[in-house]
């Protein structure tokens, strides 16, 4: 019989007394240098704490006992060096966060989790994610300033680590360099996206060079990829149609450095970012506005708003054109059914897959948009085919769409969880949003920490205000419609997270998680034509209100 059970056997039944007893045990242990050397003294106190929260899980004392037990395990690890002790501590902190999420110790426990990854597990990226959870989940908690300080410290460490990675690669043998596997591109006369595919992540820098008439060189944008080599399938000169860029050239600049040069005919702005799994660098270039306005088909402009609603104000024609002049009108909407082809999205046994549900919904939605809003609706895919995330926004940018709506289905390990939520692109504000983004990005939560950094740089170019307004209206539209016909509809609200598929979109862009495939009732609904019609109606109502709100805002100039 262990000492632990002996204690709980004799223990009085009140949680207050039990906690006091455990506290005394701990204090007496910490006071004695000699006692601390023996494992059984530690376990005795640990078991005392354990008996508090297992016997009285609902008591006020339970979270305190759990917290102190977890602390003792981490301290014990300092003496024992046994990984199991550390993991036992970690597991108890996690349990506290999960089971006592509203308790004042929850943010402390979350902070300790970050500390364990940082100090003991030597895993700064996971530590970053854990500290980030303190920052976003407990904005008014007392641990937030400390978590923020750690986040700052870790960003420095993580970026240094990446640099070192580059340097190490620089000194390593050629066969350890990351392979540049492909260079892809899509173009219109006013927009080009070039994607450089790599075997794994590398550090890179970019530079815009002026025209050099003496050497007969055009204006050019180049990227240097450190610790990389050119794959043998890559052509040294890749012609790019469209007119903004002349061609892309890729070559081994030094023995560990690849230079990709984009020869420019005429560009106005450019933007560079990277995505993970697989690692790729995306270069977006835009031509000047004159040309881009000309590219909008006059037919669709004429078509717009030819239907007049009764009771419409006479001034509306003028108002619309003003909104349109400001680039805020809506006449073309890209609908993006998530996943497809070899990427099924989330799925459950029995063959029900996210990619199929959202494709059906997208078609219903497109028809309704054309009918009710008199807008052009374009699908990123209209069949079961794989499409990379960067190609979806490339399409929207090329089509000069006014709105981008990505459709998805959620999942969660607990089957009871259900509801509808709408996201726009921004830093994640809660831990589950990080999880959803990681799943939809097909990447690990770790890469989200890096993504948050990228977003800081990209934020200036994205339409956050418009996107959040669109998200609110669409969410409200869906919930409003659904509640009229269905019971138990749950509004999970508007959230923000760094979704790859929304990055680089030049128009207001949202991602709708239409429901949970893991919830029986919601899954059945998502599969029914009636519910899909209802959802689509709700989305259209949301878009309609969004358009009205823009026109309202610019009424009278
Ligand atoms: Zn999805």
């Amino acid at each position: 019989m262990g000492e632990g059970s002996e204690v709980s056997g004799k223990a009085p039944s009140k949680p207050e007394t039990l906690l006091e007893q455990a506290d005394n045990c701990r204090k007496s242990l910490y006071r004695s240098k000699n006692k601390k050397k023996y494992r059984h003294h530690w376990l005795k106190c640990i078991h005392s704490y354990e008996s508090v929260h297992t016997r009285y899980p609902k008591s006020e004392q339970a979270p305190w006992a759990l917290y102190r037990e977890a602390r003792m395990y981490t301290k014990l690890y300092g003496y024992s060096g046994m990984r199991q002790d550390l993991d036992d501590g970690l597991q108890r902190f996690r349990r506290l966060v999960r089971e006592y999420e509203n308790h004042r110790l929850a943010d402390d426990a979350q902070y300790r989790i970050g500390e364990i990854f940082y100090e003991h597990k030597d895993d700064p990226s996971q530590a970053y994610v854990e500290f980030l959870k303190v920052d976003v989940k407990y904005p008014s908690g007392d641990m937030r300033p400390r978590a923020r300080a750690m986040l700052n410290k870790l960003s420095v460490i993580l970026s240094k680590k990446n640099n070192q990675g580059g340097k190490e690669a620089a000194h390593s043998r050629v066969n350890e360099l990351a392979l540049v596997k492909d260079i892809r591109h899509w173009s219109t006369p006013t927009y080009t996206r070039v994607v450089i595919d790599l075997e794994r992540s590398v550090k890179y820098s970019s530079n815009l060079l002026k025209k050099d008439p003496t050497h007969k060189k055009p204006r050019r944008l180049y990227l240097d990829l450190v610790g990389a080599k050119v794959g043998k399938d890559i052509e040294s000169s890749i012609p790019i149609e469209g007119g903004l860029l002349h061609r892309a050239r890729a070559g081994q600049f030094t023995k560990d450095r690849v230079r990709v040069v984009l020869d420019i005919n005429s560009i106005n702005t450019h933007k560079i970012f990277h995505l993970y799994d697989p690692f790729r660098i995306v270069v977006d270039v835009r031509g000047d506005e004159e040309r881009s306005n000309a590219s909008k088909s006059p037919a669709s402009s004429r078509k717009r708003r030819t239907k007049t609603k009764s009771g419409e104000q006479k001034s509306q024609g003028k108002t619309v054109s003003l909104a349109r002049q400001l680039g805020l009108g809506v006449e073309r909407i890209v609908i993006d059914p998530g996943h497809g082809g070899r990427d099924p999205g989330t799925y459950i046994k029995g063959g029900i897959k996210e990619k199929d549900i959202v494709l059906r919904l997208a078609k219903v939605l497109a028809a309704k948009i054309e009918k009710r809003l008199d807008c052009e609706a374009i699908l990123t895919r209209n069949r079961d085919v794989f499409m990379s995330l960067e190609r979806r926004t490339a399409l929207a940018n090329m089509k000069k769409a006014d709105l981008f709506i990505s459709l998805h289905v959620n999942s969660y390990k607990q089957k009871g969880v259900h509801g509808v939520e709408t996201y726009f692109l921004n830093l994640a504000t809660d831990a589950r949003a990080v999880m959803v983004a990681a799943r939809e990005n097909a990447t690990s939560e770790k890469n989200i920490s890096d993504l948050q950094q990228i977003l800081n740089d990209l934020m200036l170019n994205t339409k956050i205000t418009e996107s959040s307004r669109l998200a609110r209206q669409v969410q409200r539209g869906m919930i409003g419609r659904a509640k009229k016909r269905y019971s138990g509809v749950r509004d999970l609200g508007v959230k923000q997270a760094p979704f790859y598929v929304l990055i680089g979109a030049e128009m207001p862009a949202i991602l709708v998680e239409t429901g949970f495939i893991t919830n029986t009732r919601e899954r059945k609904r998502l599969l029914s034509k009636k519910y899909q019609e209802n959802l689509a109606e709700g989305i259209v109502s949301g878009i309609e209100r969004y358009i009205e709100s823009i026109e309202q805002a610019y009424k009278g100039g």
Side-chain angles (χ1 to χ4, degrees):
M1 196 160 76
E3 277 168 280
S5 49
E6 203 177 8
V7 168
S8 50
K10 281 191 289 185
S13 60
K14 276 182 151 184
E16 298 94 305
T17 329
L18 282 178
L19 183 65
E20 203 186 315
Q21 214 172 46
D23 282 342
N24 288 337
C25 178
R26 174 177 52 101
K27 282 173 198 162
S28 121
L29 170 75
Y30 286 174
R31 269 196 303 267
S32 158
K33 249 187 176 173
N34 203 32
K35 266 190 175 176
K36 277 192 275 192
K37 287 183 200 156
Y38 297 98
R39 185 173 182 81
H40 68 270
H41 290 303
W42 288 85
L43 292 182
K44 187 180 157 197
C45 309
I46 283 172
H47 291 147
S48 302
Y49 281 123
E50 199 179 358
S51 74
V52 180
H53 63 82
T54 48
R55 288 171 67 182
Y56 304 98
K58 293 215 164 74
S59 71
E60 213 178 289
Q61 286 74 25
W64 292 96
L66 190 55
Y67 184 81
R68 285 171 195 161
E69 184 191 341
R71 284 286 283 157
M72 286 201 81
Y73 267 119
T74 15
K75 286 197 176 171
L76 171 59
Y77 168 72
Y79 289 86
S80 72
M82 286 165 66
R83 297 302 279 185
Q84 189 57 49
D85 290 335
L86 191 62
D87 289 339
D88 282 341
L90 184 65
Q91 185 239 330
R92 277 151 186 84
F93 281 129
R94 288 224 190 270
R95 196 170 142 196
L96 203 158
V97 170
R98 201 172 55 238
E99 289 173 17
Y100 301 93
E101 56 179 353
N102 296 318
H103 193 269
R104 51 182 281 209
L105 281 173
D107 62 330
D108 295 72
Q110 183 57 53
Y111 183 87
R112 295 292 181 194
I113 294 170
E115 218 172 43
I116 288 176
F117 280 102
Y118 176 61
E119 285 177 10
H120 303 303
K121 287 191 175 273
D122 195 25
D123 187 345
S125 1
Q126 188 61 38
Y128 188 99
V129 172
E130 302 298 347
F131 288 124
L132 187 67
K133 288 179 188 169
V134 179
D135 188 39
V136 297
K137 271 176 86 177
Y138 312 99
S140 48
D142 58 341
M143 296 309 280
R144 198 187 195 194
R146 284 177 71 182
R148 288 222 158 157
M150 284 309 296
L151 286 173
N152 288 336
K153 193 170 164 184
L154 279 165
S155 334
V156 177
I157 293 171
L158 288 170
S159 69
K160 264 191 198 150
K161 213 179 166 192
N162 286 341
N163 280 333
Q164 271 169 8
K167 272 177 211 147
E168 276 161 24
H171 294 297
S172 64
R173 283 168 294 130
V174 174
N175 61 10
E176 284 169 3
L177 299 173
L179 190 67
V180 178
K181 292 162 78 176
D182 200 3
I183 295 178
R184 296 172 287 145
H185 55 92
W186 302 280
S187 289
T188 65
T190 56
Y191 169 80
T192 296
R193 172 169 284 185
V194 178
V195 178
I196 305 163
D197 291 303
L198 281 120
E199 197 176 27
R200 59 173 179 272
S201 69
V202 296
K203 277 271 140 188
Y204 61 92
S205 57
S206 67
N207 204 353
L208 189 61
L209 294 177
K210 281 186 192 142
K211 196 172 174 176
D212 181 359
T214 44
H215 296 93
K216 287 188 177 170
K217 281 185 170 169
R219 202 170 154 222
R220 57 216 184 273
L221 176 67
Y222 74 79
L223 286 96
D224 276 351
L225 319 178
V226 184
K229 63 174 177 184
V230 183
K232 57 178 183 301
D233 296 337
I234 304 243
E235 297 193 31
S236 55
S237 174
I238 302 160
I240 295 178
E241 71 285 6
L244 293 182
L245 298 176
H246 175 53
R247 60 178 177 166
R249 293 179 281 137
Q252 201 70 42
F253 190 61
T254 63
K255 70 174 192 289
D256 66 336
R257 193 176 284 242
V258 170
R259 179 164 284 187
V260 177
V261 185
L262 306 176
D263 288 337
I264 297 167
N265 286 334
S266 96
I267 65 166
N268 209 2
T269 56
H270 75 277
K271 188 160 67 182
I272 301 171
F273 56 94
H274 59 268
L275 304 172
Y276 290 92
D277 296 321
F279 186 80
R280 64 261 198 210
I281 301 167
V282 181
V283 184
D284 274 351
V285 299
R286 263 274 166 224
D288 53 61
E289 272 309 300
E290 281 301 300
R291 296 176 57 155
S292 72
N293 281 341
S295 84
K296 280 215 170 184
S297 84
S300 67
S301 304
R302 269 206 310 275
K303 194 185 158 208
R304 176 170 158 80
R305 291 278 163 186
T306 44
K307 286 177 195 167
T308 44
K309 282 184 259 170
S310 59
E312 207 170 53
Q313 287 176 15
K314 278 184 183 169
S315 64
Q316 182 133 36
K318 204 176 164 186
T319 313
V320 170
S321 70
L322 183 58
R324 185 108 46 81
Q325 275 171 33
L326 292 164
L328 292 163
V330 174
E331 55 190 52
R332 194 173 297 152
I333 299 172
V334 165
I335 301 159
D336 172 46
H339 315 278
R342 63 179 146 92
D343 169 18
T346 183
Y347 59 92
I348 56 156
K349 278 181 208 158
I352 298 167
K353 300 180 185 100
E354 176 180 3
K355 64 173 183 177
D356 300 324
I357 297 176
V358 292
L359 179 58
R360 254 173 277 154
L361 176 62
K363 286 178 178 170
V364 175
L365 178 59
K368 286 198 192 298
I369 283 176
E370 303 223 310
K371 196 170 150 215
R372 274 182 56 192
L373 299 178
D374 195 20
C375 287
E376 186 186 353
I378 299 167
L379 296 184
T380 51
R381 64 177 179 97
N382 57 14
R383 62 200 166 90
D384 184 15
V385 64
F386 178 79
M387 199 178 197
S388 67
L389 297 174
E390 64 272 19
R391 194 171 156 196
R392 296 167 193 256
T393 33
L395 180 90
N397 291 346
M398 282 160 68
K399 296 281 183 190
K400 287 208 70 72
D402 300 301
L403 302 176
F404 180 84
I405 297 175
S406 193
L407 301 174
H408 291 260
V409 175
N410 229 326
S411 69
Y412 202 64
K413 53 183 185 291
Q414 273 130 9
K415 291 190 173 125
V417 174
H418 66 107
V420 182
E421 58 194 11
T422 305
Y423 285 88
F424 63 97
L425 179 69
N426 207 333
L427 302 176
T429 47
D430 73 56
R432 212 180 59 77
V434 168
M435 232 173 62
V436 173
R439 199 189 61 238
E440 298 294 7
N441 292 343
T443 182
S444 70
E445 284 186 26
K446 286 185 188 187
N447 285 335
I448 299 289
S449 63
D450 188 80
L451 207 55
Q452 304 252 30
Q453 308 287 324
I454 303 175
L455 273 187
N456 284 330
D457 302 336
L458 281 177
M459 224 46 116
L460 292 171
N461 302 311
T462 41
K463 296 200 155 73
I464 294 175
T465 318
E466 290 87 349
S467 298
S468 74
R469 190 188 296 166
L470 176 64
R472 272 202 311 278
Q473 296 293 6
V474 165
Q475 176 73 9
R476 195 190 292 172
M478 285 187 297
I479 295 296
R481 285 274 168 168
K483 278 190 171 166
K484 278 185 192 160
R485 296 256 171 97
Y486 296 87
S487 62
V489 173
R490 193 153 172 238
D491 182 359
L492 296 175
V494 169
K495 295 177 177 175
Q496 49 187 67
F499 287 100
Y500 282 3
V501 72
L502 302 182
I503 293 178
E506 295 178 333
M507 67 292 307
I510 58 170
L511 184 145
V512 183
E513 289 285 356
T514 54
F516 286 76
I517 202 170
T518 37
N519 179 267
T520 313
R521 186 173 61 179
E522 212 155 54
R523 179 172 65 245
K524 278 185 187 152
R525 284 179 180 175
L526 286 168
L527 289 167
S528 88
K529 181 85 181 162
K530 257 213 167 116
Y531 190 76
Q532 293 216 336
E533 295 266 348
N534 188 286
L535 261 180
E537 286 290 344
I539 294 172
V540 172
S541 300
I543 298 171
E544 194 168 38
R545 270 204 293 262
Y546 168 79
I547 296 172
E548 280 164 10
S549 76
I550 296 170
E551 290 174 352
Q552 203 67 35
Y554 289 91
K555 202 165 255 181

